[in-house]
Amino acid sequence: MAPRRGAWLLALGLAAYQGFAFLAPTVPSRAPTGLARGFGRCPQQRAASATQRQLVPGAGEALATILVSEMGDKTFFLTMVLAMRKSRRLDVSRNDRPALPLAWVHFPKCGSSFLNMLIHQPDFCDVAPGFSVDEDNFGTCFSFNFNDVCEDLCDTQRLRCQPVVHECIGSQYTELKGHMVGMFRQPEQRILSAYHDEQHNWLVEGDCEEKAAPKPALPIFAELFGGTVTYQLTGEGYAGDHKLPLLPDLPVRTRAMAEEAVRRVSGFAFVGITDEWDLSVCLFHATFGTKCRALDFLDVRPGTSEAEVYDTAPLRGYRDELDGMVYQEALRIFQANLLKYNVSMDSCQRCFNEAQGV
Ligand SMILES: *[C@@H]1O[C@H](CO)[C@@H](O)[C@H](O)[C@H]1NC(C)=O
């Protein structure tokens, strides 16, 4: 072992021993397809406090082992990858339903309120019936703050707690396949929604993490924000890609990644469409055999919601082709599942009526 590497390992090992979470992002991960090579890391890999609990125990053990034995690079990296995987492994030991635990894949601007449906599934989380993860209960950065207490509130054999908000699926795909649930959104609408979200702004001052740069012109923003669903499904780490303009190096998003992302949509146990919220909620309950609740529909009266649709003209012809491929596949699966579970506005009246009473 070269002295330099030895010193590096020692430093890592000591850090791990002391329980420092920043180790995690230094670990290279492996994607099942090999596609991930050269993707770089998901940007903004902070969120250390949330990551710490998930990653450090396994990583620390692995590093301790490495420090007392001389191993080649290959074994070292493999051990690290296994340690990471072990510490994030889904708990499937006493599951009666194969999709459990459900693993929410949270694409930015695709409906954080989806979480409020998840936490109220039977036996999922120890929360009062009307409880909601929102600004009143968890502050402006409610998604981030909820993650910190998720494991205390929820049964991780039913609901997987995310290590970080907007995490990337990347090399975790094999493990999460069949457990993933999430909402997809028409890409240009998602971009416009992100651009106009002044409350949880993705680029300007006052967001959950740091003061950021001034908002760029929309077409520039679109170029930067486009393709980030593709990236989140295939890249590694934390998809803080909404802050892409702040990064010195933009992660590459390629057509090959989009093709892999398209394949990964079939790894979802549930695919919803943000702009079809009511049908999606109804489909979710039909899929898992659970009851509709009024809160699943936010404040909107069941069956009558009309999603806000942004005028795309200011995009000046920009189209998010990569995420467009993924969205088309999500839409295809969504529609196939509507047929499979006989879900329509008509058949959902029962769900909507149930929701009136709960
Ligand atoms: C599908 O739903 C409709 C109500 O919209 C109902 O009349 C019909 O019987 C259902 N079909 C099946 C196969 O369950």
Side-chain angles (χ1 to χ4, degrees), residues 251-295:
V252 177
R253 289 145 283 163
T254 64
R255 200 176 168 84
M257 288 167 74
E259 284 163 2
E260 176 61 17
V262 164
R263 282 189 284 276
R264 291 181 175 202
V265 182
S266 7
F268 279 69
F270 167 77
V271 168
I273 300 292
T274 307
D275 291 336
E276 298 274 9
W277 192 269
D278 293 351
L279 268 185
S280 298
V281 165
C282 182
L283 177 62
F284 179 89
H285 291 293
T287 306
F288 298 112
T290 47
K291 276 200 153 185
C292 299
R293 300 163 64 253
L295 285 172

Side-chain angles (χ1 to χ4, degrees), residues 4-20:
R4 208 166 146 205
R5 157 137 291 188
W8 184 64
L9 283 182
L10 182 63
L12 274 180
L14 287 174
Y17 182 70
Q18 289 168 33
F20 289 166

